Amino acid sequence: MPYHVEFSIDISAIYIAAAGLFLVFLALDVVRARWKYQGGFTEGFNEKGDEKGIEGSIARGIENNEDPLSRRIRVHANAAEYFSVALLLLVAVENIVAVDWVVHALGILLLVSRLIHAAGLRGMAGESLPRTLGTVGTITMVSASAILVLINSF
């Protein structure tokens, strides 16, 4: 017998929209860097526009790479990777846990964490406090959301 299930993204939509705008901002940052460093559609250019090659960038890795274009590309890709699962979990929390303040708290934690992480990764290669804090905040949000969904699903 079919039954009607209420589904809401009233709160999650705020964070989905904010994440979308943040991804657009990061994409435009990559475009600006491609123009500035004349990188076209490849990675591996230094600030003078001299080609170092994709192989060089990959061999050195982002951790040891001072290439500003590669860092910006990585910042955008990293945000996109985490936003996808985190926002799905946020929608699930809104509909399964159904406590507004929890959804807002998790959404704010996600956005602030990704913003801090992006600033840390874009600013310098290697480890940094903002990058670490952003990673910890994001993993906390994803873990808490997943646990809340699982606990409230049974």
Side-chain angles (χ1 to χ4, degrees):
M1 174 183 225
Y3 57 92
H4 179 70
V5 177
E6 291 290 324
F7 183 81
S8 173
I9 61 166
D10 294 343
I11 299 171
S12 299
I14 296 166
Y15 301 100
I16 293 168
L21 291 174
F22 185 53
L23 284 173
V24 167
F25 171 79
L26 294 176
L28 292 174
D29 192 42
V30 171
V31 170
R32 281 191 304 272
R34 287 189 193 283
W35 280 97
K36 181 176 181 180
Y37 304 112
Q38 302 159 352
F41 291 101
T42 62
E43 294 182 62
F45 288 80
N46 64 22
E47 292 186 16
K48 296 176 188 171
D50 299 328
E51 186 173 14
K52 293 188 276 186
I54 280 185
E55 295 80 14
S57 293
I58 293 170
R60 283 185 305 279
I62 190 72
E63 298 303 321
N64 299 318
N65 190 355
E66 289 297 324
D67 176 6
L69 175 57
S70 294
R71 279 201 316 272
R72 289 176 180 153
I73 291 168
R74 191 66 216 134
V75 167
H76 179 265
N78 193 277
E81 290 164 2
Y82 277 102
F83 273 142
S84 58
V85 70
L87 292 170
L88 285 172
L89 283 166
L90 192 64
V91 170
V93 168
E94 182 171 357
N95 285 280
I96 295 171
V97 178
V99 178
D100 292 356
W101 73 266
V102 172
V103 180
H104 282 295
L106 291 168
I108 290 168
L109 177 59
L110 175 64
L111 291 177
V112 169
S113 297
R114 291 287 83 205
L115 180 64
I116 291 170
H117 181 272
L121 180 56
R122 186 182 183 280
M124 68 180 79
E127 295 180 24
S128 69
L129 182 60
R131 188 174 176 193
T132 301
L133 292 174
T135 299
V136 169
T138 301
I139 290 172
T140 299
M141 181 275 175
V142 170
S143 300
S145 297
I147 290 167
L148 284 169
V149 168
L150 286 172
I151 289 171
N152 288 280
S153 292
F154 295 103

